[in-house]
Amino acid sequence: MDFMREALKEAYEGINNRHGGPFGCVIVKDGQIIGQGHNRVLVKHDPTCHGEMEAIRDACEKTGSHDLSGCELYTTAEPCPMCLGAILWANIAKVYYGCNVNDTDKIGFRDDKFYDFFNGEKNILTLEESDRKECKKLFDEYIKDKKAQRY
């Protein structure tokens, strides 16, 4: 099976239905698609509903696990920083992408703002520590709880 072709089908479904941008994704394990999704930002009014995020949610729901170790991800465009974070949290170790960040920039998507932030351009967003002492108590309680699952 051509998995990138399946990711493209997802993307076309999304743009044909005006769900969002041209981003489709499938997640594969042992040669089988276990998750799929396309950009649904516009239809769900949710900026986190990128194709990769939707496919990860789908795969996690279908497998009953947040751990997608051993999976590969096929997506129509190089994942943005948010999606890269989710891919890493899901333990997906291999990503195949079609278009790169220069291609997405040319069609109006602003990944460069995120890279600017990560590279030190801090006037994009203000991050400020607040109530660390109380929040640290929460973390201490979590550590004490032997039943807590570790990520």
Side-chain angles (χ1 to χ4, degrees):
M1 176 178 279
D2 184 346
F3 298 119
M4 188 60 79
R5 188 165 314 283
E6 295 302 312
L8 283 161
K9 284 181 188 176
E10 277 291 327
Y12 277 113
E13 180 181 337
I15 61 171
N16 290 337
N17 289 298
R18 307 261 191 273
H19 290 169
F23 308 106
C25 181
V26 296
I27 297 175
V28 176
K29 186 165 188 172
D30 300 325
Q32 299 294 315
I33 294 174
I34 64 163
Q36 57 196 58
H38 60 265
N39 186 292
R40 289 186 172 92
V41 168
L42 299 178
V43 72
K44 289 188 173 182
H45 309 290
D46 182 343
T48 69
C49 291
H50 291 193
E52 296 92 340
M53 301 295 284
E54 294 290 285
I56 289 169
R57 289 176 182 128
D58 186 45
C60 289
E61 185 177 327
K62 286 178 178 171
T63 63
S65 176
H66 61 278
D67 186 354
L68 299 177
S69 294
C71 292
E72 297 175 335
L73 186 144
Y74 293 77
T75 183
T76 56
E78 188 171 350
C80 75
M82 175 185 66
C83 293
L84 283 173
I87 289 164
L88 290 168
W89 279 113
N91 297 312
I92 297 170
K94 183 71 176 184
V95 173
Y96 298 93
Y97 63 89
C99 294
N100 62 40
V101 293
N102 294 322
D103 299 321
T104 56
D105 181 57
K106 288 176 184 170
I107 63 170
F109 290 86
R110 57 189 180 100
D111 291 9
D112 60 325
K113 292 291 182 196
F114 297 93
Y115 297 114
D116 289 347
F117 177 79
F118 296 135
N119 289 322
E121 185 62 42
K122 300 301 182 192
N123 67 348
I124 296 170
L125 172 69
T126 301
L127 293 173
E128 184 177 327
E129 188 175 283
S130 176
D131 297 316
R132 183 175 183 270
K133 185 177 179 180
E134 289 302 312
C135 294
K136 186 75 171 78
K137 285 181 186 177
L138 169 69
F139 278 34
D140 292 342
E141 287 298 317
Y142 175 80
I143 290 169
K144 287 179 187 175
D145 184 358
K146 302 285 188 208
K147 296 177 185 173
Q149 291 186 3
R150 307 275 185 230
Y151 289 92

